[in-house]
Amino acid sequence: MPPFYICKANKNAMVAQFSTFFMGGFFAAVVVSALQLCPLSLTAQQPGPPVPSRPDVRAKDKYDGFIGGIREEMPLFPGCEEHPDYATKKRCADSLMIAFVYDNLRYPYAAWQDSLQGMAVVSFAVEKDGSVADAKIVRDPGLGTGAEALRIVNLMMDQGIRWTPGRQAGNPVRVQFNLPVRFKMADHEFPPPPPPPKADEVIRAEDLERIPLFPGCEDLGTYEEQKECADQKMVEFIYYNTHYPPLARENEVEGTAVISFVIEKDGRIGEIKIMENPGAGTGEEALRVFKLFNEKGLKFNPLGSSGRAVRVLVHFPVNFSLN
C-alpha cells in the first residue's frame, strides 16, 4: 500500500463538526473529525507495482454494521425528524442531545467541594435500531465525574431513547460515539449539589431514581429491564412463602398487611416492622416472610441512583385474599 499525505488541494483537510452548549455553569463539546488523505505520488525511473484497488467496504457495512466513527450519515438524537435535510437535522439533534445531557447532569458533591473541573468522556454505540449500548468511561477526571457522565448515557437506555441510526451506502450501521462531558464550576450560576447522606441516614425509596433491586436479574441490559424482572421475582418469593394464617381463614379475615424494612448498604434486610395489620395473624405472617430474606442469604443490589450504596427504606404491601 502506498504512503499517504494530507491532500494539498484541500487546505481544510481536517473536517470537524463542533457543537457547544452552555447550561447551568457547564460547557459541552462534541467533536467529530476526520483526515482526508491522498496517496503520495513518487517520481521514479521505473514504474512501481500496480496499486491494488480498495476493497468495497459497503458490503461489510451492510452485513456487519459498525465499526468506526465517521459515516455518510451519523446517528441523530431524536426530536428533529421534521427537518427536511440531514444537515439541519444534525444541528438540531446535536443541540437536543447536549441539552439532554446538561438538563440531567448533577455536579458530584465531592468534585464540587474540591473545585475539581475537567472533561469526562463516555464511549457508547448507537445500534442499527437506534438504541444505545455498551456505555463505558474512557476518560475520568475523578471524584465521581466519570460516573456521573456514564449515568447520563445510561439514562438514555433507561428511558428507551432511540436515535435515528447512522447510515452507510443507504444501510443502517452500528456507530461508535465518544461523548465528552465538561464539568466546569460557576458558583454564581449553579447551586451546590446536596451533600451525600450521613452514614446512618435512611433514604425513602420513593426519593431515589434508582432503588436497590431483588437479586437474580443482574445480567439484563438496562435498569428498567432489571427492575421489572426483580420486582416479579420478589413478588413470587413472597407469595410462594406466605401461608394464610388458620385463624384468619376461619374468621374470613382479608386485607393488606404493609411491611416496612430497610435495605442496608450491603444489601441485607434490616429494621423490619409491621405498619398495617389486618389482624388474625396476617401481619405476623408477612413479617415472617420478610425475615426469610436474610435467613436464605438473599441480598439486594445496594447501589442507589447516585451510584453509591445507601440505606433505603421500603414499604411493601402483602395482600391476603380468600379468593
Side-chain angles (χ1 to χ4, degrees):
M1 179 177 292
F4 287 84
Y5 77 109
I6 300 177
C7 291
K8 293 182 178 179
N10 185 354
K11 295 181 180 179
N12 297 320
M14 179 68 77
V15 179
Q17 295 172 345
F18 184 71
S19 302
T20 59
F21 184 82
F22 176 81
M23 176 173 290
F26 298 113
F27 292 96
V30 181
V31 181
V32 180
S33 62
L35 285 175
Q36 296 183 355
L37 302 177
C38 298
L40 177 62
S41 300
L42 298 178
T43 303
Q45 298 298 325
Q46 298 296 330
V51 178
S53 61
R54 295 188 61 182
D56 185 0
V57 298
R58 290 179 296 178
K60 177 177 176 60
D61 285 332
K62 179 177 180 180
Y63 297 106
D64 297 337
F66 191 50
I67 275 180
I70 302 300
R71 288 300 186 223
E72 290 177 357
E73 290 189 4
M74 293 292 287
L76 301 179
F77 195 81
C80 302
E81 295 76 16
E82 74 281 0
H83 291 287
D85 60 279
Y86 171 77
T88 306
K89 287 180 181 178
K90 189 176 188 310
R91 287 193 298 270
C92 171
D94 288 347
S95 296
L96 290 183
M97 179 186 67
I98 294 170
F100 175 87
V101 170
Y102 288 95
D103 280 347
N104 290 283
L105 193 73
R106 295 194 291 264
Y107 217 107
Y109 182 79
W112 174 85
Q113 192 174 39
D114 286 6
S115 299
L116 183 140
Q117 301 182 120
M119 181 180 289
V121 180
V122 177
S123 172
F124 63 94
V126 177
E127 303 285 0
K128 293 181 182 181
D129 63 356
S131 61
V132 173
D134 300 334
K136 60 182 178 181
I137 303 169
V138 296
R139 182 178 176 183
D140 188 353
L143 297 182
T145 52
E148 176 62 12
L150 179 63
R151 184 188 70 82
I152 296 301
V153 175
N154 286 331
L155 190 60
M156 297 182 193
M157 293 188 282
D158 296 341
Q159 294 184 1
I161 292 176
R162 292 295 180 96
W163 294 47
T164 300
R167 290 188 172 274
Q168 182 78 5
N171 300 304
V173 290
R174 188 175 191 255
V175 180
Q176 190 76 24
F177 264 85
N178 284 332
L179 175 66
V181 180
R182 183 176 296 279
F183 291 83
K184 184 174 177 63
M185 300 288 293
D187 296 342
H188 62 286
E189 295 180 2
F190 189 78
K198 297 178 182 178
D200 58 346
E201 183 179 355
V202 178
I203 303 176
R204 298 182 306 171
E206 53 267 33
D207 292 335
L208 292 172
E209 293 180 7
R210 296 190 178 195
I211 63 173
L213 300 179
F214 193 79
C217 302
E218 295 78 12
D219 293 337
L220 297 180
T222 67
Y223 170 78
E224 293 299 329
E225 291 173 333
Q226 292 180 14
K227 185 176 187 304
E228 182 178 359
C229 169
D231 290 347
Q232 182 64 32
K233 285 184 177 294
M234 183 172 173
V235 169
E236 290 174 355
F237 176 87
I238 291 172
Y239 283 97
Y240 178 80
N241 290 280
T242 300
H243 307 297
Y244 216 105
L247 182 60
R249 185 180 297 277
E250 292 172 6
N251 290 275
E252 298 184 351
V253 174
E254 297 180 322
T256 300
V258 178
I259 302 297
S260 76
F261 59 94
V262 173
I263 302 174
E264 301 291 350
K265 291 183 178 180
D266 63 357
R268 294 182 303 107
I269 296 297
E271 300 183 24
I272 309 174
K273 298 178 182 179
I274 303 173
M275 303 303 293
E276 295 184 21
N277 191 351
T282 53
E284 291 74 14
E285 175 60 14
L287 184 67
R288 180 192 68 81
V289 172
F290 278 89
K291 289 181 178 179
L292 286 177
F293 285 29
N294 290 339
E295 294 176 16
K296 293 185 176 293
L298 297 174
K299 289 188 176 182
F300 285 68
N301 175 358
L303 294 182
S305 58
S306 61
R308 61 179 181 269
V310 294
R311 302 179 73 214
V312 180
L313 176 64
V314 179
H315 290 84
F316 198 94
V318 180
N319 185 50
F320 289 86
S321 175
L322 292 171
N323 295 328

